[in-house]
Amino acid sequence: MNNSIVKYNMGEASKNSSTQSFGLLDSLQVCLYILNFLVGLPTHSYVIWLIVTGTGSGIASGFFNLNLSVSEMGNCLNCLFCVLDYLTPLKSLKAFLFGLGITGRPLFQCLMCVERYLAVVHPVTFLKFKPLRYRVICSTVAWIITFGSCLCCLFILGFLLFDSYIYVWFFLLQFIIFLSIQLFCLSAVLRALKQSGPGERGREREEENSIKRRAFYLILITTVNMGLIYVPLTISGFYIIMSQQNIDESYFIGFMFFVLAGFVQPVLYLHRNGKLSFLCRSKMCNCVIMQS
């Protein structure tokens, strides 16, 4: 997802009307592209390496995180293509990769939230579907859906076979559906973590409460992060549909949140596996995310 979508949404006529100069907004946009590529690509590559080599929490528990990082690497490459698009047209390739941003990221994040929801709220069901084969099945279905979304983006934006406002509805509906599922799961996990467990005495109870408290704050951070990723772009999309106007600034702000908040998930994974131990003073901080 990037601000080039705005130009697609409003059609090529608006793009070519009035010779566009490389202004401040374009410069900021390119800076975000470069930032996402230079920071996101090595970060997600490192996460993938940790999961595949077993250095992290293991390939089974991090399988959805692995697929999310692969999808995010596609988004990072798309940012590179968007920068190169200023020099040579890459409209079809960019349009195809947009599907990774509007479907791949929220879908795999949704699977991770559902997994955490089952682990905390329905642990018996979670243990039943914990083996790797169930994660592989879910990820395969998710990739099929994502690939279908990439084709839809290619037909809508790359070949301009449909009205450009259909694309706005296309990503708005997905954002609303996936965000609703994620918020439901995360809020249920927060409620479960806030409840007091069976009575224990002394040091064991204090340690359990300390871990639950840190997990509660981390899930709260994840919940806020989901809102920052999807809410600004959703508001921008509704504004464009209702006003029938193209506001570059609104899409730029939404894209800025989409890029910056997207770094939170890999940082949390690295932090959980002790690769960012300099961010905390205690080794207890490495255990705050629920193992899945």
Side-chain angles (χ1 to χ4, degrees):
M1 175 72 61
N2 53 58
N3 204 42
S4 299
I5 296 174
V6 180
K7 298 179 178 59
Y8 288 130
N9 289 338
M10 298 301 107
E12 294 297 318
S14 62
K15 180 179 179 180
N16 295 326
S17 64
S18 75
T19 57
Q20 294 183 351
S21 59
F22 196 83
L24 177 61
L25 188 61
D26 292 322
S27 301
L28 295 175
Q29 184 176 312
V30 170
C31 289
L32 278 178
Y33 293 153
I34 296 175
L35 175 66
N36 194 26
F37 176 75
L38 294 181
V39 177
L41 191 65
T43 302
H44 289 289
S45 300
Y46 185 44
V47 170
I48 293 174
W49 182 81
L50 289 176
I51 297 175
V52 172
T53 58
T55 308
S57 57
I59 191 170
S61 59
F63 193 73
F64 290 145
N65 227 318
L66 172 66
N67 286 272
L68 175 63
S69 293
V70 172
S71 177
E72 292 288 2
M73 288 184 65
N75 290 327
C76 296
L77 291 176
N78 195 25
C79 287
L80 175 63
F81 297 147
C82 289
V83 174
L84 296 177
D85 187 56
Y86 284 94
L87 304 176
T88 178
L90 296 170
K91 183 173 69 173
S92 298
L93 181 58
K94 291 193 307 177
F96 181 81
L97 292 178
F98 282 155
L100 295 177
I102 67 174
T103 303
R105 173 190 282 187
L107 185 53
F108 286 113
Q109 287 178 340
C110 189
L111 289 175
M112 294 171 62
C113 291
V114 171
E115 186 180 43
R116 291 173 178 174
Y117 168 77
L118 293 176
V120 176
V121 182
H122 302 286
V124 177
T125 304
F126 171 74
L127 292 176
K128 181 180 178 181
F129 294 99
K130 187 178 180 180
L132 180 60
R133 63 177 180 272
Y134 294 107
R135 292 184 171 94
V136 173
I137 294 173
C138 293
S139 298
T140 302
V141 174
W143 276 114
I144 293 174
I145 296 174
T146 302
F147 182 72
S149 176
C150 292
L151 292 178
C152 290
C153 292
L154 178 62
F155 293 143
I156 297 174
L157 301 178
F159 300 150
L160 296 177
L161 299 181
F162 303 96
D163 187 278
S164 55
Y165 284 102
I166 294 180
Y167 177 77
V168 181
W169 281 112
F170 181 65
F171 81 78
L172 278 180
L173 291 176
Q174 293 189 70
F175 279 7
I176 292 173
I177 293 174
F178 291 136
L179 182 60
S180 299
I181 297 174
Q182 292 178 57
L183 291 180
F184 169 78
C185 294
L186 292 173
S187 60
V189 172
L190 289 174
R191 288 196 302 268
L193 290 175
K194 223 177 174 184
Q195 296 174 356
S196 58
E200 293 183 0
R201 295 181 179 179
R203 187 175 179 181
E204 292 183 358
R205 185 173 181 179
E206 291 180 1
E207 291 179 355
E208 179 186 1
N209 291 336
S210 177
I211 293 175
K212 288 178 64 175
R213 184 166 55 253
R214 290 189 175 96
F216 176 86
Y217 289 138
L218 195 59
I219 295 298
L220 184 62
I221 292 173
T222 304
T223 305
V224 175
N225 182 57
M226 294 302 156
L228 292 176
I229 291 177
Y230 302 112
V231 171
L233 280 175
T234 302
I235 295 175
S236 301
F238 276 118
Y239 181 82
I240 287 179
I241 291 176
M242 294 177 63
S243 63
Q244 299 291 307
Q245 294 180 3
N246 173 25
I247 306 297
D248 285 353
E249 289 79 5
S250 64
Y251 257 112
F252 173 77
I253 294 174
F255 174 59
M256 181 179 63
F257 281 106
F258 188 84
V259 170
L260 298 180
F263 295 141
V264 174
Q265 192 67 41
V267 169
L268 290 180
Y269 179 84
L270 295 175
H271 183 52
R272 181 183 73 179
N273 290 279
K275 303 304 178 181
L276 298 177
S277 57
F278 58 88
L279 294 179
C280 63
R281 296 180 181 179
S282 173
K283 294 183 180 180
M284 287 291 293
C285 295
N286 297 326
C287 304
V288 294
I289 302 180
M290 289 74 64
Q291 298 293 332
S292 54

